[in-house]
Amino acid sequence: MTSPSVDGVLVQWGDRLFYPANRMAKTAAPARLSGGVAKRAAAIRARIQATVVRRAPQVMVKVTGGGRGMAAIAAHFRYIAKAGRLPFEDDRGVVEEGQEALRDLAWQWQYGGSYIGEVSHRREAFNIMLSMPSGTDPLSIQRAAREFAQAELAGHQWVLVLHDHQANPHVHLSVRAEGRDGRRLNPRKADLQRWRETFAEKLRGWGVEAEATRQATRGQLRNYEPLWRIKAAEAGRLRSTRGKAKSGSSSERSRKEAIVAWTHIARGLANSDDASDRALAESVDRYVQATPFAVQYAHHLEKRQEPHRLTSEREPSRVAKPVDRGPEVRR
């Protein structure tokens, strides 16, 4: 297979893995890779290398809640800034600290634009957490989070605080739901994935290796608990439980589709004239076979086939016996 053919396979199937069709384009994060086929294929190779070979750390961007009224928003400000002991930065680039500065920030949010009552029937702010694994440079996370907010939350008031005193360095980011143009923020699943990719891109710009590959692409099955469920469980108010692993037809379908895409990519790379491509194909094969979904699915198929195998081993062979018609009568 010639190199252009390999590049075509990478672009066709890599797009499905790393840039799904339901992704919403905005700001610096395009819905699809731009440029010629060779350039796009090079970007796909880089993401495959980062995901499969180097196992680059996966970024986490999570909406942890939101304030329904100024009382809740101000309480969150005090929480993330540790009652003013930690410095906080707003969308204007102003860095402040102290309780008086926190009260002034809350006043600006309450009266700067549409009035926010102490209690509201709707969510007036979104609380977002951007995190990386332990060992990541906290200042790089802070800089990347700032650039993320400038790109994805332009036109909205926001405030961010770095927490580097815990195992995983992370940034708390609170953003006002209503923008200066009156439009309201309403993040959906596709937006969250785009946010992850934007944050990973900003981290790489600061020399931090980071990826934002979807769970389905990585064959992961972990069911992350929302913050409200964690807090409800801690308070003894959680009335229902759910499995730690994802299940259901939608989850299974997306992961099967990912395996199909990985299979086409591995075959394309294996038929390349480039030795590095062929080596990458072997890495892809090993990676996919070891993903939690592939392991679980193989075990599931084995269990389905086992009763048939045991039955065939235990049952005696059934050979048709001749029918006894009595003594032959010759005429």
Side-chain angles (χ1 to χ4, degrees), residues 70 77 101-112 176:
M70 204 59 229
F77 287 169
L102 277 177
R103 285 192 289 269
D104 183 59
L105 176 68
W107 186 90
Q108 292 175 32
W109 276 43
Q110 187 165 26
Y111 296 99
R176 181 169 173 166

Side-chain angles (χ1 to χ4, degrees), residues 6 22 25 34 36-37 62 112 119-120 133 135 138 175 191 198 217 239 243 247 256 264 266 277 285 298 322:
V6 176
N22 66 344
S34 59
V37 172
K62 181 188 294 186
V119 179
S120 175
V175 56
D191 297 291
T198 300
T217 299
R239 298 182 180 180
S247 59
K256 284 182 178 179
H264 281 280
D277 275 350
D285 277 333

Side-chain angles (χ1 to χ4, degrees), residues 4 44 64 84 105 107 109 141 164 167 180 188 195-196 210 263 274 283 290 299 302 319:
I44 294 293
T64 60
L105 176 68
W107 186 90
W109 276 43
I141 294 176
D164 60 356
R180 293 184 176 88
R188 299 301 187 192
W195 286 1
R196 290 184 68 232
T263 301
D274 191 328
S283 297
H299 180 65
E302 186 178 342
V319 180

Side-chain angles (χ1 to χ4, degrees), residues 98-166:
Q99 295 184 8
E100 185 63 32
L102 277 177
R103 285 192 289 269
D104 183 59
L105 176 68
W107 186 90
Q108 292 175 32
W109 276 43
Q110 187 165 26
Y111 296 99
S114 298
Y115 174 75
I116 300 176
E118 289 297 302
V119 179
S120 175
H121 68 279
R122 63 182 183 179
R123 186 172 293 187
E124 301 291 357
F126 288 91
N127 305 327
I128 306 167
M129 185 166 68
L130 301 95
S131 177
M132 280 290 284
S134 178
T136 310
D137 175 42
L139 289 180
S140 296
I141 294 176
Q142 184 182 40
R143 292 165 183 148
R146 180 187 302 119
E147 293 179 350
F148 160 84
Q150 291 168 345
E152 293 289 347
L153 307 174
H156 291 263
Q157 289 177 285
W158 50 260
V159 58
L160 66 82
V161 181
L162 170 66
H163 282 198
D164 60 356
H165 54 281
Q166 294 167 301

Side-chain angles (χ1 to χ4, degrees), residues 230-250:
I230 295 174
K231 290 188 176 297
E234 291 173 350
R237 295 182 284 102
L238 192 63
R239 298 182 180 180
S240 63
T241 59
R242 63 177 188 171
K244 293 184 178 180
K246 288 183 180 291
S247 59
S249 58
S250 176

Side-chain angles (χ1 to χ4, degrees), residues 6 25 42 54 85 97 106 159 220 258 263 274 282 301:
V6 176
R54 298 192 303 276
R85 295 190 300 274
E97 58 184 302
V159 58
Q220 295 293 323
T263 301
D274 191 328
E282 295 178 2
L301 290 179

